[in-house]
């Protein structure tokens, strides 16, 4: 195994490409944007949160509806919704005593649908 790893490694030291790294460096993603994107993908890294987002793709739902759909307790659903709200993935609307949750904007839906299409593509 070690022999294979040694054989697969490059004998020469990489001297880089002729790409203008200075221009690329100036246009690199900012640290806050990279952290925000990582947080978004971290949120999508939990199956329960993925199911919640999927459930809200076309309809706003209350905690009770979501807890029935996912067969989970309302406190667990509320905890996940709070996490998603803090990342601006979902928003809430209060109507009387009922709080309805929906996706925050079309971008979340697009990211989610594009990811699903990517998975089905393979």
């Amino acid at each position: 195994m070690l022999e294979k790893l040694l054989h697969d490694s490059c004998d020469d030291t990489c001297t880089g490409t002729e790409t203008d790294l200075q221009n690329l460096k100036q246009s690199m993603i900012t640290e806050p944007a990279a952290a925000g994107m990582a947080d978004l993908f971290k949120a999508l890294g939990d199956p329960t949160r993925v199911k919640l987002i999927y459930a809200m793709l076309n309809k706003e739902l209350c905690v009770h509806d979501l807890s029935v759909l996912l067969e989970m307790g309302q406190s667990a659903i509320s905890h996940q919704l709070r996490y998603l709200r803090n990342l601006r993935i979902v928003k809430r609307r209060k109507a009387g005593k009922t709080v309805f949750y929906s996706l925050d904007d079309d971008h979340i839906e697009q990211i989610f649908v594009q990811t699903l299409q990517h998975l089905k593509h393979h």
Side-chain angles (χ1 to χ4, degrees):
M1 180 73 162
L2 180 60
E3 184 178 313
K4 181 176 177 3
L5 287 173
L6 291 174
H7 178 69
D8 288 346
S9 65
C10 186
D11 291 334
D12 298 326
T13 302
C14 179
T15 59
T17 64
E18 294 182 22
T19 303
D20 183 0
L21 294 179
Q22 199 56 37
N23 282 340
L24 183 58
K25 189 169 187 164
Q26 288 175 351
S27 66
M28 279 292 287
I29 189 169
T30 65
E31 191 61 37
M37 187 174 284
D39 286 342
L40 172 64
F41 283 108
K42 193 183 313 178
L44 294 174
D46 179 85
T48 298
R49 291 192 288 265
V50 168
K51 290 176 187 176
L52 286 169
I53 293 168
Y54 187 87
M56 292 181 279
L57 275 177
N58 298 307
K59 184 172 177 60
E60 67 177 4
L61 296 163
C62 67
V63 173
H64 176 267
D65 293 340
L66 291 164
S67 69
V68 170
L69 270 174
L70 274 67
E71 300 178 350
M72 294 176 64
Q74 289 188 21
S75 64
I77 295 294
S78 293
H79 173 76
Q80 295 298 342
L81 289 170
R82 191 175 317 107
Y83 182 89
L84 294 172
R85 263 187 61 227
N86 288 340
L87 291 172
R88 294 184 21 233
I89 294 172
V90 300
K91 61 185 175 185
R92 67 183 191 166
R93 176 183 67 83
K94 202 165 186 176
K97 292 184 178 185
T98 306
V99 179
F100 292 95
Y101 288 87
S102 61
L103 299 183
D104 191 71
D105 61 30
D106 291 340
H107 297 116
I108 298 300
E109 181 179 343
Q110 291 169 12
I111 291 166
F112 198 83
V113 170
Q114 288 286 325
T115 304
L116 280 176
Q117 288 174 347
H118 172 72
L119 292 172
K120 290 177 182 176
H121 178 69
H122 288 87

